[in-house]
Amino acid sequence: MENREESPADEQAPTPPERGLLYIWQSAGPSAQLCPERVLLSRPVLQASLGEHHGLLLTQGGQVYSFGELSWRDLSIPVSAPLLEVSLLGRTVVRVAAGGFHCGALSKEGNVYMWGENTAGQCGLTERGTDTSITVPEPCPVSVVDSDVVPPAVVRVVDLALGREHSLALSAQNELWAWGSGCQLGLVTNTFPVWRPQKVEHLAGRHVIQVACGAYHSLALVRSLPQQTTQNPSEKRQRGQSPHHSVTEREEPFAADTGHYCPLGVELETSPRRDPSRRLQPGERSAGSSTGSAAGLCPFSEDVNSNTKQTNLPVGHTPPLNEGHGGPKSHSLPGWRANKNPAFPEEAELQKLLRKLSSHSLEMRHTTGPGDTDSLSSFTSDDSCVSSTPSTDLLTSSYKEDSPIQSQTNNGVAVPYSSSPVCLEEVRLCLEAEKKALQGAKSTSLTNINQKGKAAANRRRSLPGTPTRGSPRRRRPCACTPSSSCRTRAAAPEEAGEGLPSLETEVWSWGRGSEGQLGHGDQLARLQPLCIKCLTGEEVIKVAAGSHHSLALTAHCQVYTWGSNMCGQLGHVNSPVTVPQQTKLSDGLRVSDVSAGQSHSLLLADGDCVQPVLLYCGQQQEPKSTQKKRSHRTQRSPSRAESYTVRPNLLPFCMEMDYISRVCSGGQSCAALADQNVMGFISAIHELASRERQFYCWLSSVRKLLLTPLRNRESVCPSLGEPCTHLFFSLCESFVRLSFLIGRHSTSLSYFLHDVQGCDVTSLPLLTHTEHFLDIYKEYCSSVGNFQVMGGFRSLHKLSLECLGSQQAVLAQLCVSDQSVTGNVDLVSLLYWPLQQLHQLSRVLLKLAACYDVLTTEYQSLYQGGIQYDSLSSSLLRRKKEAETTFLFWSTHSGKTTEVLRLPQRRVVCESSNRSLTLQNAGRFSNHWFILFNDTLVHTQGAIPSQSIFSTHHIYPLSCLWVKPVTEDSSGLYAIKITCPEESFTLVASTPQEKNKWLLSLNQAVDQVLGGAGQGSSPGLAAMSRTASYLFTGEGRFKDAQYTGGWLAGRVHGRGTMKWPDGRTYSGNFKNGQEDGYGECIMPDKVLNKPDSYQGHWRDGKIHGFGKYKYASGEVYEGCFCDGQRHGYGMLSSGKLAKYSSSVFIGQWVHDKKTGYGVYDDITRGEKYMGLWSDEQRHGSAVVVTQCGLYYEGIFRDNKMCGPGLLVSDDDTALQGEFSEDWTVNGKGVLSLANGDCLEGLFSGEWTTGLKVVGTYLKPSADEPENKERNGLLRMGQYAVPAGQRWLCVFDECWSRLGRDSAGRGERTAAWDNIAVTITTARRQSPDLTRSQSKALECLEFIPQHGEPVTTANYDNIRRYLIKACETPHHPLGWLVETLVTVYRMTYVGVGSNRRLLRLAVRELLAYLTHFYSIVRFLFPGLPDDGGIIPDPSASSSKSKQNSNIAEQGGVLVVSCSSLLLPQLLPRLYPPLFTLYCLQEEQEDVQYWERILRLNKQPDRSLLSFLGVREKFWPVWVSIMGEKTQIVSSSTDACFVSAVETLQQISTTFTPSDKLLVIQKTFEELTQEVKPMLDDNFLWCMDDLLPLFIYVVLRARIRNLGAEVSLIDDLMDPNIQHGEMGLMFTTLKACYMQILQESAI
C-alpha cells in the first residue's frame, strides 16, 4: 500500500479542497492491489450516489455531476472528469440518487427532478405531462401532488431512493410516495407503469424515517408506534427492561450460532471437499459428513485436531466455547485496546494495527467450489439479466437444476459470480446429516452439544412457515416482580430529549423476495410493505439495499444482513439467509455506516483508533500465490477462480483516505467521502462520535450481561432486602435512561458525520440539550451512590456470582479498573465508570472550540458547553467520594442505633467521635456525639461512638439551621452558636482549628442544602433569609405543624404555608414567627363537616384588617377585622346553606357584633332596615321599607318599633304616631289620607290587619288643596339617621388605610408612604392584573406634588391623579369609591327602590362628597374649602370654559366637592339614583310622555305654528346627505335636526355637569341653524327662544325628562346656578313645565 504510485489526477490537482474528498474503486479484485481513484473537483463533494454503471456527485453549491455509462445520452464519462448537469444549475440541489439506470435530484424547495431510462416509468411524467418516452435525457421536474386534500397540494420531498424500475420519495410529512413498475412500489394497483407519484397507503399514518431501494425490492425505516401491549412500560421498568426494547435485553430466536455452523450444517474446513464437477446423488452422503463428526466446527480452525494449540490462533480470533463454563470467552484485539491518545496515533502504532487487521482478515477468508452455496434459494447469475418487466413467478420458488457460469465485464475484467445452485435433494441430505450429527455428537467436538442444539433449533424456528414471535421464553414474566412499594418512578419522557433521533424503529420491506432479501423467512414476494418483526426493538438506525440483499445498521453498531449471499456480501455464512442475521465483526470494531452494491457490502467502522476503517463483504479475487497455498491446504480444486470472505474484510488502503465520513456502493463500485483533519476539527468530531458509540456499546453490554439478568432473578428481593431492592430498581432505571440517551446521541452524531460539511457545530445535541444530559448524569450518579451507601453492592456481588456464572469472565473484560486483571468484577467501579465520560466530552468540546476564533458564536457555545460538562464531572466525582466515605462510616459505626440514621441520600461530612466538639455547659460525665450529614446535624447523648451506641438523639435539618461564630472572649471558649426554629444551643470546639473546621463544614453543608455550590463559603455567611420546610414538634401554636416557606434567623418570616394535623392550613405572609400580612387560611369544622376559610390580612398571628371569611354554615363576611373579631365596616351574607333565612347585612361592627349604622336586607321577608344597631339588635333611628311599598321611619328599641314614628303606604296614606311593636300602633296619632283628609285620635292595632281609632275626622277646606303634601309626605326624614352620620365606618377604614387612626389626624407624609407601599405590594402580589391595571398602578406609584399651594397650573394634575386613583381598587381612594358604590347599591336597590327614599339617597350622596373631599384635602392641603376659589386663572382660562368641573366667575376658578368628586362617584351610583328619580316623577312623566306622543303627530310647520314660533325662524331648506331639500307642509322631523340629536344625548350622560354641557351644545346648535336667516348681531329673547326650544324638546322625545330635570336641579353645582348654564337649564325646565300644561301653550 505504501508503494502505490500517485495517479496523474493527483499530480495535476490545482488546490484540492480539504473537505468532501471522494474516492472510488471497483469492488471485485484483490484487496491488496485495489487502488482507489480520487475524484478531483474544485468544490467539496457533499454526496455521492452509485448506480449499476453510472454515478452522481453533489458538490458544494448544489451542483450535480454525472459519470459512467450514460446510456440515455449515449455517453461514457470517466469518473476522473465527471459531466456537469447544466440544466440543474440554479436549482440548489441538496440530494441526489442513482438507480439502476436512471437518476434523481432533490432541490432545496423539495422539488424532484428525474432523468435516465424510463422504460418502466421510473422517471415519471416529464414536465409536458404526457410524454412517456423510453429515456429522459435531461433532468425534468416530477410533481408529487397530494390529491386527497382539497385543493390538491404539492408535496415537499426531503429524500429520494431509486431502484432499477422504481423510485421512492419521502415527504416532509414523513409519508412515502412511489412511481415506476413492479410490486416493489407497494401500491394497491395492478396497472403498470405508474407514471405519477402515488402515496404508499399501507404506510399512511406511520412516521417513515428513511427509505432504500434494491433492484426489485424496497426497505423503509419506520418509527414504531407507541406500545399498546398487555405489558405496559412501567411493568417493563420493574423487570429492568427499557420500554425501548433493545437487542441486549431479549433473546434472539432467529440468530444461529454462526461462528460454529455453515449454512448447511456441515463441517467447513476440516473435511475433504467433493469434486466440484460432481453433484450428490440421492442417497449418497457428502464426504466428511459422517455421524461421528462435529456438525458445526469453527470455520477459523486450522485443523480439527489442533484444538489444544490455542496460542497458534490468529490475532483477535475468538476461540470456541469452553466446555467447562458453557459460555463464550472473548479476547479483544491488543491493537484496539484503550489508547491514551487515540486522536493522533503515531505512525508505528497505525501500521502495526493495519498489519494485524489485514492478516486477521486474510485468515478469515473462505474459499468455495463451484458447487457450494450459502443460501437455500437460487441466485440469478447476472443481475443485469433480470427482466425489467414484472415477473410471472414472483410468488413461487425458483430452484433450478443447472445454471451456467456467467460473468459480467467491468473495465475489461471478467468477474465470475457463482456456480450452480444447490438442488433440493442436496439440501435435504445435508439437513439429515446435521440431525444425525447432533444426535451422535462426540466428546471430542470443540463445540458444546447444548450450544449446537440451541443453534440448530434457532435455525429451524427461523425457517419459512415457522412462527418466530410466539416463543414462550420471550414472553415469560419476571419471576421476582417488585411490589408496589419497590416500584421506581417512570423513565424520563421522550419530550425531554426532543430533537434527538428515535431508536424505537421498525424495518418494513416489500417487493420481490426470491433471494430472501425481504427478510420475512421465505422467498415470496410482498405487494404491500410488511414489518420485519425480528428487527423490531433492535434499534435500527439505517437500512441499505443491494441488488438482491439488504442491510440494517443498529445503534449498537451491529449490522444485520439478509438476502443473496452468493458472493459473501452478507458477511457471514449463517443460514437461513431469508431472515436478518448478525454479521460477526472483529472485537473492538463498531460500524457507523453501511452501503450495499450489486454483490458486495461496504461498512464504515471505527475502533479504539479514531480514524475510521473500511470493511468489505463480497466477491474478492486473490493473488495466484495465495490461491495455490489455499488450494493445497484445503485440498480444493485449482479451477476455482473466485473467493469471498465469510467475515467483513479490512481494506488496508482506507488508512490513507484521511477521515472517512460516509460510504456508498452501487453496481460493482464503491465510494467513500473523506475529510482532511484541518486544525484537528475533523478528528475531534470523529473522536466524539466514536467515543459515544463505544460508550453505548459498553452500556448495552453491561445492561445485557449484568443488570437485566440480576433484576429478572427471583432471589433479588430476598438477597438485597427491601430498601436495597428498591434502590437497585432505581439504579437500573437510571442506567436505562442514561443508556437510551447515549444511544440516541451516538446516532445523532453518526448522522452529523454523514453531513459534517453542511451542519452547524452549534447544533450538536451536547450543546442544544445540555440540561437534559446533565440531569440524566446527575440522576445516575445519585442512584449509584445511594445504592453504595446502603451497602447494596456487597449483596449484589454475591448475587452476581450465583447468577452470572460463566459470564463473569466476559463481564470482567468490561471493567476498566485494575481488578479486572485478576478476573474479579468490581461492580462499584464498573457502575461508576460512565461518569468518566463527562470529562471526555468536556475535553473534546474544548478541542473543538480551539478550532474557532474566540469571538465567534461557535467558540462561545463550545467553550461554555465544555466548561459545563467539566464542572459537572468534578461535582459528580466529589459525590462519588462522598458516597465512598459515607459507606466506610456506616461500615465502621454499624449497629441498630445508627441504622435509624442511615438513609440512601444522606452523606456524612464530619463527626466528633474524637471529642473535638461538645455541648456548652454539658455535664462532667455526659457524652455528646455530633454527626454532620449533608442534610442534618445529629446530636446524640449518652453516646459511645466506638461502639455506635447512644441513648437519645436529636436531628436538626440543615435547611432550618443557622450557624453563627461566637466571638472569643476572656473565657477562651471556641464556641459556635446553633439556632433552630424551636431551640438554640452553643457548641464548643477543642481547638481553634476544630472550630474553623466545623464552622466551615456547617456553612458549606447549609449552603449546599439551600442550593448553593457549597464551595468556598466563609464562616458565618450562610443565608440568614431562606426558604425551607420544617415540622414543628414542640409545644405552642405550631405544634405538629408542617411549614414550608421563608425564614429569617430561625423564625418563620416571609411567604409560606403552615399545615396542622387537624386540617388547618395557612398560606400567606409571616413576620417574626407569626402570621402577619395577607394570607389565606382554611379551618375545618367537624360539626358541619365543612371548612371555614379566610382570605385577608393578619397581624401578630390574628385576623386583623380587611378580609373575606366564608363560614361552614354558608355565611360569608367581607369586611374589617380586629384581633380576630369583626370590627368596623363589613358585609355579612347568609345564603341557601344557612339554617335561617337568607339575608344580607352591611354596616358597622364592634367586637364581632352589629353596632352603629347598618342596612339589613331580609330577603325572605322582603324588608330592608336602614338604621342604627346596638349589640346585634336594631336600636335607634331607622327607616324600614318593604316590597309591598310600605315605608316606615321611627325609633327602634330592643329590636322593635317602639316610640314615635311615621308609616306611609304605597297609596300615600300616612300614619304618624306611637308604635309599640313591629307595624303595631298604640297611642296618639294622625292618619292622613291620600285625598288630604286626616284622622286624629288614639290608634291601636296592627297596620296590616286593621286599626282601632278613637278620634276626630278632619276634612281640609276647598281653598287649601296643597295641604295634602304638607300633611303627609313633607314630614318624611325627620326620624331617619342624618346623612352625615351614615357609613362613618367606611370612611374610618379609608383613614386607617392611609395610616391614620381618626379623620384628618396624623402626618401627611406617612399617608403618602402608605399609599406607595400599598400600590407596590399590589403590583408584586397580584398576578391576575390586566395590562391596563398594571399600567395604572405604575402611574400611581409616583407621588404627586401635595405640599404646594394648588393653582390652575397643577389643579388638572390633581384631578387626573384622583381619576386614576378612584379607578384602582388597590388604592385607598379607589377602595373607598368601590365600597361606597357597594353600600349605596345595597341600600337603594331591590326593596330599597322606593320613591320615598329619594330625598335620603340624595342627601347621602351629598354626604359622601363632603367626607370624601375632607380626605382629598388632607392629601392635598392646598385645595380650598368647598366652594373656595383658586387664584391665577390665566394659565388655564381657555381650558376652564371647556371644563365643567371648574366654574369661572369674575376671573377666578371656583372648586367644590361636587365639581371635583361627583364625576368620580355619580356614574357608578347613577342606576339606583336615577331609578328613584323615575319613581318619584312617574306620574308627571306619564302625562308628559302622553303629550309628547300626541304633539309629535303633527308635521313640522303645523307644530311650529301651534307652538307660536315666529315664521322668520322657520327653515325653508334642509340639507340631507349634502343635498338641499325644500321643507313642505307635510315634512316631519326635518327642522333643527342637529339640535334635536344633540339634546337626545342628555340621556347618555350621568353627571349634572355633563348634562348641562349637552343643553349648552343644544342651544349652540339651535343658534347655528337660525343664524343664516337672521342678522349677525341677533340676540335671543325669551319670547323667541322658549317656543323654538319647546319644539326641539318635543322632537327629541326624551323618555324621562322630568327625572333628568329633577336630578340636575338637585345635584347641580351651586356656583353655576346663576350663570349662563343655569339660565339654559331654567329654559329646559320651563319647557318641561309648559309641556305638562299643554293647554297653556
Side-chain angles (χ1 to χ4, degrees), residues 1095-1108:
Q1095 298 178 355
H1097 290 81
W1098 299 66
R1099 189 172 70 180
D1100 297 334
K1102 297 181 180 180
I1103 298 176
H1104 190 95
F1106 194 84
K1108 185 175 183 179

Side-chain angles (χ1 to χ4, degrees), residues 1168 1380-1390 1392-1395 1397-1398 1401-1402 1405 1408 1465-1480 1550 1607:
K1168 182 171 289 189
L1380 291 177
V1381 171
T1382 301
V1383 300
Y1384 198 85
R1385 291 182 176 178
M1386 287 296 300
T1387 305
Y1388 301 109
V1389 171
S1393 296
N1394 192 306
R1395 58 191 177 93
L1397 299 177
L1398 175 60
V1402 173
L1405 175 58
Y1408 290 171
L1465 276 176
L1466 189 54
R1468 299 172 172 86
L1469 306 179
Y1470 190 80
L1473 181 61
F1474 191 72
T1475 301
L1476 294 177
Y1477 272 108
C1478 292
L1479 294 174
Q1480 178 67 27
F1550 303 109
L1607 186 145

Side-chain angles (χ1 to χ4, degrees), residues 901 981 1001 1484 1527:
L901 303 176
S1001 299
E1484 287 80 2
I1527 298 177

Side-chain angles (χ1 to χ4, degrees), residues 788-791 794 883-895 897-904 906-908 929 931 933 938 948 950:
Q788 180 185 14
V789 166
M790 299 303 291
R794 289 181 177 177
E884 295 173 349
T885 304
T886 304
F887 173 71
L888 293 177
F889 173 81
W890 292 124
S891 301
T892 306
H893 301 86
S894 60
T897 54
T898 57
E899 280 298 321
V900 298
L901 303 176
R902 190 171 186 176
L903 296 177
R906 183 166 290 173
R907 305 289 185 269
V908 66
W929 185 22
I931 310 173
F933 295 100
V938 179
S948 302
F950 50 84

Side-chain angles (χ1 to χ4, degrees), residues 14-76:
T15 53
E18 300 170 342
R19 300 279 188 89
L21 309 178
L22 179 65
Y23 296 88
I24 295 182
W25 67 96
Q26 293 299 312
S27 61
S31 60
Q33 298 179 5
L34 290 179
C35 181
E37 179 179 0
R38 177 176 170 184
V39 180
L40 298 179
L41 295 174
S42 59
R43 298 188 178 191
V45 178
L46 301 180
Q47 183 202 350
S49 182
L50 302 178
E52 294 282 345
H53 305 290
H54 72 288
L56 294 177
L57 302 180
L58 175 63
T59 64
Q60 197 173 53
Q63 295 182 358
V64 180
Y65 292 85
S66 301
F67 64 90
E69 301 294 332
L70 310 182
S71 58
W72 52 92
R73 296 176 182 166
D74 295 330
L75 295 177
S76 180

Side-chain angles (χ1 to χ4, degrees), residues 1027-1032 1038 1041-1047 1052-1060 1063-1070 1075 1078-1082:
T1027 300
S1029 298
Y1030 183 79
L1031 177 62
F1032 288 85
F1038 298 149
Q1042 177 72 39
Y1043 173 76
T1044 302
W1047 296 80
V1052 290
H1053 189 92
R1055 292 192 61 84
T1057 300
M1058 186 79 70
K1059 295 182 179 180
W1060 284 265
R1064 286 180 298 160
T1065 301
Y1066 173 83
S1067 179
N1069 292 326
F1070 291 83
E1075 302 94 325
Y1078 182 83
E1080 300 179 2
C1081 184
I1082 297 178

Side-chain angles (χ1 to χ4, degrees), residues 103-276:
C103 309
L106 185 63
S107 69
K108 184 178 181 180
E109 293 76 17
N111 300 323
V112 179
Y113 299 88
M114 305 292 298
W115 70 101
E117 286 195 9
N118 198 24
T119 55
Q122 59 266 47
C123 286
L125 289 176
T126 61
E127 58 185 3
R128 291 185 292 275
T130 58
D131 187 2
T132 57
S133 303
I134 296 178
T135 60
V136 180
E138 295 295 333
C140 293
V142 175
S143 298
V144 182
V145 180
D146 190 353
S147 302
D148 295 337
V149 298
V150 179
V154 177
V155 176
R156 183 173 180 269
V157 178
V158 296
D159 197 7
L160 279 178
L162 310 181
R164 284 188 181 175
E165 296 182 353
H166 72 294
S167 304
L168 299 179
L170 182 61
S171 70
Q173 291 75 29
N174 298 96
E175 296 177 330
L176 198 58
W177 298 75
W179 63 97
S181 298
C183 58
Q184 62 269 27
L185 296 180
L187 302 176
V188 184
T189 181
N190 54 5
T191 303
F192 298 107
V194 177
W195 295 102
R196 298 181 183 276
Q198 296 185 17
K199 185 189 298 185
V200 181
E201 295 293 345
H202 201 71
L203 290 176
R206 304 298 296 263
H207 187 98
V208 182
I209 302 174
Q210 183 223 338
V211 291
C213 291
Y216 298 103
H217 73 288
S218 304
L219 301 175
L221 184 63
V222 182
R223 182 178 298 175
S224 301
L225 293 176
Q227 295 183 359
Q228 298 180 352
T229 58
T230 56
Q231 183 182 14
N232 55 38
S234 62
E235 293 175 350
K236 284 191 174 184
R237 285 191 289 269
Q238 294 175 14
R239 295 181 54 186
Q241 297 179 3
S242 169
H244 320 287
H245 210 50
S246 68
V247 73
T248 60
E249 294 180 355
R250 60 191 188 89
E251 299 182 26
E252 304 175 11
F254 59 90
D257 193 355
T258 54
H260 308 285
Y261 287 89
C262 77
L264 298 181
V266 298
E267 297 176 6
L268 297 179
E269 294 188 3
T270 58
S271 58
R273 302 298 178 185
R274 58 184 172 84
D275 193 304

Side-chain angles (χ1 to χ4, degrees), residues 164 215-216 375 377-387 391 393 398-400 402-408 416-421 512 514-515 517 523 547-548 564-567 569 598-599:
R164 284 188 181 175
Y216 298 103
S375 174
S377 64
S378 64
F379 185 86
T380 305
S381 300
D382 192 350
D383 288 335
S384 62
C385 297
V386 179
S387 174
S391 176
D393 59 348
S398 56
Y399 292 109
K400 300 179 181 179
D402 294 305
S403 178
I405 300 177
Q406 301 179 5
S407 63
Q408 180 176 346
Y417 270 74
S418 66
S419 61
S420 303
R512 299 187 189 181
S514 58
E515 303 299 330
Q517 61 264 45
Q523 296 169 311
S547 294
H548 300 285
S564 174
N565 199 24
M566 294 300 294
C567 296
Q569 57 264 46
Q598 189 170 355
S599 56

